[in-house]
Amino acid sequence: MVDLLRVGTIASTHGIRGEVKVYPTTDDIHRFKDLKHCILDTGREQLPLEVEGVKFFKQFAILKFKGYDSINDIEKYRGKDILVTRENAVALEENENFIADLIGLDVVTDEGGHFGVVTDIMQTAANDVYVIQGDDGKEYLFPAIRQCILDVDLKKSQVTVHIMKGLLDL
């Protein structure tokens, strides 16, 4: 499991006082209200930041970091990721997992055979969709519904699936 989780990406500056527009990569944009500490991944280093203020504008969270008081201080970080430690991450409900923890898990069928590996999770309006690279080299899409994704066992690094009729048809 990864120790740092991405919650957003700095899209642009906001005004001249060091605020940034953050495009959220988290399910709930309002999670930023409770965010006190985060990490800026510059690509070369990871800078710990203290969140001084939070506002919302359209689909963006507007963040102000302590010590970054002008547009000149912050504009160089456009396009960089905002990360949080697991301790600062939102609490998960039962049967919820962080997407980062699912990528790379082995996929086995309910009949016991190895099927492939989870390569991505697509988020759709109806439900998430597991993107699985099959052992045959093909890519398959499995809806994250109870009838299809039977079990996620992070300790075993394994997802158990039921292959529903028509699911493998191209």
Side-chain angles (χ1 to χ4, degrees):
M1 293 195 301
V2 293
D3 293 327
L4 297 174
L5 303 167
R6 184 176 65 166
V7 293
T9 301
I10 296 177
S12 65
T13 58
H14 181 78
I16 60 170
R17 294 194 171 96
E19 293 179 315
V20 291
K21 284 185 187 176
V22 174
Y23 180 77
T25 56
T26 178
D27 288 349
D28 182 12
I29 189 172
H30 296 286
R31 67 105 46 234
F32 288 99
K33 288 180 190 176
D34 299 323
L35 187 62
K36 301 295 180 218
H37 299 279
C38 62
I39 298 166
L40 176 66
D41 185 356
T42 68
R44 292 188 174 164
E45 62 183 332
Q46 294 178 337
L47 302 173
L49 299 174
E50 185 176 336
V51 179
E52 195 173 83
V54 178
K55 302 185 280 191
F56 299 98
F57 178 72
K58 297 184 181 177
Q59 78 269 24
F60 296 100
I62 309 296
L63 300 183
K64 171 72 174 80
F65 301 116
K66 186 175 185 176
Y68 293 84
D69 298 321
S70 78
I71 190 172
N72 296 329
D73 294 339
I74 202 75
E75 70 181 339
K76 61 187 168 194
Y77 299 123
R78 183 183 315 223
K80 304 301 182 191
D81 289 336
I82 303 293
L83 311 172
V84 297
T85 60
R86 283 193 179 269
E87 297 82 49
N88 288 323
V90 294
L92 295 175
E93 300 288 326
E94 187 176 343
N95 295 323
E96 280 188 331
N97 296 289
F98 292 114
I99 290 174
D101 292 340
L102 299 174
I103 306 299
L105 295 183
D106 283 319
V107 179
V108 296
T109 67
D110 53 353
E111 297 173 355
H114 191 271
F115 185 80
V117 175
V118 177
T119 58
D120 198 5
I121 304 293
M122 295 177 8
Q123 294 181 295
T124 68
N127 52 262
D128 290 350
V129 176
Y130 285 51
V131 180
I132 299 172
Q133 182 75 38
D135 290 338
D136 61 2
K138 296 180 183 175
E139 186 175 85
Y140 297 97
L141 304 177
F142 281 66
I145 57 175
R146 231 176 257 154
Q147 299 86 347
C148 193
I149 305 296
L150 302 179
D151 183 50
V152 175
D153 189 335
L154 295 179
K155 289 180 180 154
K156 287 184 179 179
S157 295
Q158 180 175 290
V159 176
T160 304
V161 298
H162 171 70
I163 300 175
M164 299 169 59
K165 184 177 180 180
L167 191 63
L168 304 182
D169 297 341
L170 297 175

